[in-house]
Amino acid sequence: MSTATAALRTRIEGLGRNNVRRDLNAICDPMARVPLEISSGIFMRCLPNSPRLDPGNFPMLSLRVCHLWSDIALATPFLWTTIHTKDGDAKNFDTLFEIWLNRAGSLPLSLSLCGDLHRVMPLVKQHAHHVQNLDLIFRSGELDDIKAPFPYLRKLTIELTPHYDDLGTQANYYIHAFIEIFRGAPSLVECELRGMPGDDVGDTIADSLLHPSLRLLRLGAEGSDSSAGILRHLTLPALEGLLVSALDIPSTEFISFLTRSSPPLKCLHLTTHDPIDRIFRLIPSLTELQLEFWSWNLTNEEAALSCLAADCLPNLRSLTIIGSFFGAHSEYKNLIVRVLTARRAFTRHAQLQSFRILFPIDKEILALDGSAIASLRQLAEDGLHIYVGPKGNNYI
């Protein structure tokens, strides 16, 4: 027998063994004995919270186990509807990313993209009609890449990261870009914007937008020193939740936003240095209020609390004050007791159910004594949930 013939026979026998091995694996593998809808459901439960273009993680891992697992994965488009990317995911990232999106078919997509948007946004725009959730972390100079119609986008998160190329960019550019992004997403329900620049020249922007669908808006991150400038240019009549890390616009402009929007606001979190008691009459639907005051100006806190003791915010159920003067001023503590007692005594309005004061340091406990504390503890015994102290240590 010639060498070539022997080699050919060996190859044929090897192929036969591979086929037998594959058939045996199919017989032994429990996945081969269950319907596709069940095996697909099992695969769905194997998905990590943040699926990535990583051959060692699901669903990419399933393509490497055997032909059967690969067939199940490729026949389950739900496995490919969510993806998290970042720089350096794979050398052939662009090709793999396109294949991943195509495998999802026409199902709604949830995309979390971090890094160079210039690479991925052209592919994202090709699937824009399927994008439902979009989470972006990128350089602020790349905002123009996002300006595209996303007609069915429901949730959007944008975090801008500083870059030396963007230092000379005016705030007008960012505000206008965000407005255009909102304009291209008419179905948007929830949005979070982090890393926004201050709108110190906002009055020169003529552009504005009425967005009919947005119900929850988060502006800025904890410790942010600028976030609210875009409110000058938005009208949001469906807004139910507004969380602003820094109300860095005058309270008069915030009042103007509330007046023209007339939203059914239920949840409001504000960090501010301005008196804000004048806004309460504009948001009677509010059920949850969280206030944090920048400056050590007791007058602003007292004004806000005194207003709450009166006949306003009739639906308020939860009140939180962060960084307060509770431990330093006995009159302030007495004012809080009067406010809580009044809110609990309301018969025509909703009763307050939760009250929290969060301050940063334990030494405030030195002032937590006397009749005010006894009154708070009595209110707690009567059913009001009260938290007074630093995070993790309630003194009531």
Side-chain angles (χ1 to χ4, degrees):
M1 181 183 300
S2 68
T3 304
T5 303
L8 179 60
R9 177 176 293 180
T10 301
R11 185 177 180 185
I12 292 173
E13 291 175 351
L15 289 174
R17 285 194 297 271
N18 289 337
N19 290 334
V20 171
R21 186 181 298 111
R22 183 179 63 189
D23 293 341
L24 287 174
N25 287 339
I27 294 173
C28 298
D29 190 344
M31 288 293 185
R33 301 194 296 272
V34 298
L36 176 62
E37 58 269 19
I38 295 179
S39 57
S40 295
I42 295 173
F43 275 29
M44 289 292 295
R45 292 179 177 272
C46 295
L47 278 176
N49 292 330
S50 304
R52 292 180 51 199
L53 285 171
D54 185 341
N57 293 330
F58 241 76
M60 296 287 286
L61 177 62
S62 62
L63 303 178
R64 304 171 58 202
V65 176
C66 64
H67 288 290
L68 174 65
W69 281 43
S70 179
D71 291 343
I72 295 172
L74 295 177
T76 309
F78 281 101
L79 290 175
W80 311 95
T81 58
T82 301
I83 185 171
H84 292 240
T85 72
K86 64 179 183 179
D87 285 341
D89 269 339
K91 293 182 179 179
N92 53 342
F93 169 81
D94 297 350
T95 301
L96 291 176
F97 185 55
E98 183 175 12
I99 292 173
W100 186 300
L101 296 184
N102 288 333
R103 286 172 180 162
S106 59
L107 293 177
L109 296 171
S110 295
L111 309 179
S112 179
L113 312 176
C114 176
D116 186 358
L117 287 191
H118 295 312
R119 296 179 62 192
V120 299
M121 285 309 295
L123 290 172
V124 172
K125 290 177 181 180
Q126 292 178 21
H127 296 266
H129 280 68
H130 307 308
V131 177
Q132 191 170 83
N133 301 314
L134 189 57
D135 190 336
L136 304 173
I137 301 177
F138 59 97
R139 283 174 37 198
S140 48
E142 298 174 319
L143 267 172
D144 288 331
D145 290 328
I146 312 172
K147 294 179 183 178
F150 288 93
Y152 302 110
L153 185 65
R154 303 277 292 174
K155 182 178 179 182
L156 173 66
T157 300
I158 295 179
E159 179 176 342
L160 302 180
T161 58
H163 192 269
Y164 66 90
D165 289 340
D166 309 323
L167 294 179
T169 307
Q170 290 187 337
N172 289 358
Y173 162 77
Y174 301 102
I175 300 299
H176 179 75
F178 284 131
I179 291 174
E180 288 302 307
I181 292 168
F182 284 148
R183 201 186 307 278
S187 301
L188 194 63
V189 173
E190 181 177 342
C191 180
E192 180 174 359
L193 304 178
R194 301 191 296 265
M196 295 173 59
D199 188 19
D200 54 347
V201 288
D203 289 341
T204 65
I205 302 176
D207 202 3
S208 62
L209 176 67
L210 186 154
H211 197 291
S213 302
L214 194 64
R215 294 204 298 263
L216 176 61
L217 179 61
R218 295 184 179 93
L219 297 175
E222 185 175 355
S224 171
D225 59 359
S226 60
S227 64
I230 196 172
L231 294 178
R232 289 169 162 153
H233 314 284
L234 294 176
T235 300
L236 306 175
L239 194 66
E240 297 179 1
L242 177 61
L243 291 75
V244 182
S245 68
L247 191 65
D248 52 343
I249 58 175
S251 58
T252 53
E253 296 189 6
F254 186 58
I255 289 173
S256 178
F257 161 75
L258 292 174
T259 301
R260 67 175 178 271
S261 297
S262 189
L265 205 61
K266 295 180 181 178
C267 174
L268 177 63
H269 292 192
L270 280 184
T271 300
T272 181
H273 54 73
D274 272 1
I276 49 116
D277 50 292
R278 291 176 293 167
I279 73 170
F280 293 153
R281 299 291 178 184
L282 301 175
I283 45 177
S285 56
L286 203 68
T287 61
E288 178 185 337
L289 176 63
Q290 177 176 300
L291 299 175
E292 181 174 1
F293 292 91
W294 276 345
S295 60
W296 288 84
N297 185 341
L298 183 58
T299 303
N300 289 343
E301 288 194 44
E302 287 182 329
L305 283 170
S306 297
C307 185
L308 291 176
D311 189 15
C312 73
L313 296 183
N315 295 292
L316 190 65
R317 294 297 189 97
S318 174
L319 174 61
T320 299
I321 299 174
I322 299 177
S324 77
F325 288 81
F326 185 84
H329 299 273
S330 59
E331 286 303 315
Y332 183 71
K333 287 185 287 187
N334 293 330
L335 173 59
I336 287 176
V337 172
R338 292 197 301 271
V339 170
L340 298 183
T341 302
R343 302 295 307 196
R344 292 290 288 180
F346 281 168
T347 57
R348 295 184 296 112
H349 306 313
Q351 283 192 340
L352 193 69
Q353 301 296 317
S354 174
F355 174 73
R356 298 189 305 159
I357 290 182
L358 303 176
F359 45 75
I361 48 178
D362 276 339
K363 71 178 183 181
E364 298 276 1
I365 187 60
L366 298 176
L368 293 180
D369 54 13
S371 60
I373 296 302
S375 298
L376 289 179
R377 288 174 176 159
Q378 182 61 53
L379 285 167
E381 291 177 3
D382 292 340
L384 177 62
H385 178 266
I386 300 180
Y387 188 106
V388 175
K391 290 182 178 180
N393 197 356
N394 186 6
Y395 297 132
I396 300 300

